Amino acid sequence: MDALSDLLAPHSETIGKIAGTITTLQFLSGIALLNDIRKKGSSDIYPIGPFLGGIVLTVLSLKLGQIMGDQPMINVNVIGFAINSIFLVGFYYYASSESKSKIWIKIGYAALFLMACIAYANFEDPKQIEFRLGMLITSILVWLVGSPLLNLPDIIKKKSTEGMPFPIIFAGQLVATAWTLYAVSIRNHVMVYQNLFLWVLGGIQLVMFVIYPSTPAKKPAAKSEKKKEK
C-alpha cells in the first residue's frame, strides 16, 4: 500500500474534493424518498433511520474530521448535516400526530448518544479517540449500508432484487471507492479499512443485481387441469 500512497499523495487534495463532491451527491439521494412521502401525503410507513442516522453519522464524522484536522472531511459533513436536517424536517412535517411523538423520542435518544460521544471525544487522548471514533462510525455505517443484506435469503428465494435501492447502493459504492483512495493518499489506515469494508458490503449487493433481475419474479405457471373423466 505504501507504493500506492506515494503515487496518490501529491493528488490527495484533489481526491478529497472529488470524494466530498460524490458524497454530497449521495446525500441528495434522499430527495427521491422524500418525494415519495410527499406524493403519499404521509411519512408514517417509512423508516426515519436514513435521515436521523445520516445526522448522527455526519455529526460524528465532523468531530472526527476536526480531530484529524481534515478539511475536506469537515466540509462534506457540514453540508451533509444541513441536507439531512432539511430531510428530517420534511419527514416530520408529513408525519401523523401519533408518529410525531415517536419521532421526538428517537431524536432525543440520538441527541443523548451524540452528546455522550462528543463529551468522551473531548476528554479522551486524541491518539486513542481517532481510532475508537472511527470504529464507532464504521459500525453505524455497516449497519446502515449492510441492512439490505438482511433480505438476502428472500432475494435468493424470489430470484429478484425488487425493492433494493440500486441508485443508493451504486452511489454508496462510488463514495466508498473515492474515500478509500483518499485515505490511502493521506496514509490513514483506519479510513482505509473502514471504507474497504463498506466497499465489500456494497459489492455483494451489486452482485445480486448482476445475478438476479430487479423486476418481480415470475410466478410458476399453474399446472394444467386434469381432464374431466368421461
Side-chain angles (χ1 to χ4, degrees):
M1 192 171 71
D2 288 338
L4 184 57
S5 296
D6 292 338
L7 181 65
L8 297 177
H11 311 288
S12 61
E13 185 176 350
T14 302
I15 296 172
K17 289 179 180 179
I18 293 173
T21 301
I22 296 174
T23 305
T24 301
L25 293 175
Q26 186 202 28
F27 286 143
L28 294 174
S29 62
I31 292 175
L33 177 57
L34 201 60
N35 188 49
D36 286 341
I37 292 173
R38 181 188 62 79
K39 290 178 180 177
K40 293 182 182 297
S42 173
S43 62
D44 291 356
I45 63 173
Y46 295 93
I48 195 175
F51 301 141
L52 187 56
I55 289 176
V56 171
L57 280 174
T58 52
V59 171
L60 292 178
S61 297
L62 180 58
K63 183 61 178 177
L64 181 60
Q66 291 176 335
I67 293 172
M68 294 168 54
D70 191 320
Q71 197 58 44
M73 193 174 180
I74 293 173
N75 293 341
V76 73
N77 283 289
V78 167
I79 295 172
F81 175 78
I83 292 173
N84 280 290
S85 296
I86 293 171
F87 287 159
L88 184 61
V89 170
F91 187 95
Y92 180 83
Y93 176 80
Y94 285 105
S96 63
S97 299
E98 183 180 353
S99 295
K100 284 180 178 178
S101 60
K102 295 179 180 178
I103 290 173
W104 277 116
I105 292 173
K106 292 178 180 179
I107 291 175
Y109 284 139
L112 289 173
F113 175 74
L114 286 174
M115 285 190 290
C117 290
I118 293 173
Y120 171 69
N122 288 335
F123 289 100
E124 182 57 272
D125 180 2
K127 293 181 180 179
Q128 295 289 338
I129 195 60
E130 181 177 332
F131 174 78
R132 293 173 182 174
L133 192 56
M135 289 298 100
L136 176 61
I137 292 171
T138 300
S139 300
I140 298 173
L141 277 170
V142 167
W143 177 72
L144 288 174
V145 175
S147 57
L149 290 176
L150 296 175
N151 298 320
L152 190 58
D154 192 44
I155 292 170
I156 295 174
K157 183 179 179 180
K158 295 191 303 182
K159 299 185 183 302
S160 171
T161 53
E162 182 187 17
M164 289 184 69
F166 177 80
I168 294 177
I169 294 171
F170 182 72
Q173 196 73 348
L174 293 178
V175 168
T177 301
W179 283 109
T180 298
L181 293 174
Y182 176 70
V184 171
S185 72
I186 63 173
R187 301 177 188 273
N188 187 308
H189 294 87
V190 173
M191 284 182 66
V192 170
Y193 297 137
Q194 177 191 81
N195 286 285
L196 277 178
F197 190 62
L198 295 175
W199 191 89
V200 171
L201 287 177
I204 294 172
Q205 295 175 65
L206 289 177
V207 167
M208 291 296 102
F209 285 97
V210 175
I211 299 174
Y212 302 116
S214 58
T215 52
K218 294 182 180 179
K219 295 181 180 180
K223 296 181 178 179
S224 58
E225 296 181 358
K226 295 180 179 180
K227 293 182 180 181
K228 294 181 180 181
E229 295 181 359
K230 294 182 179 180

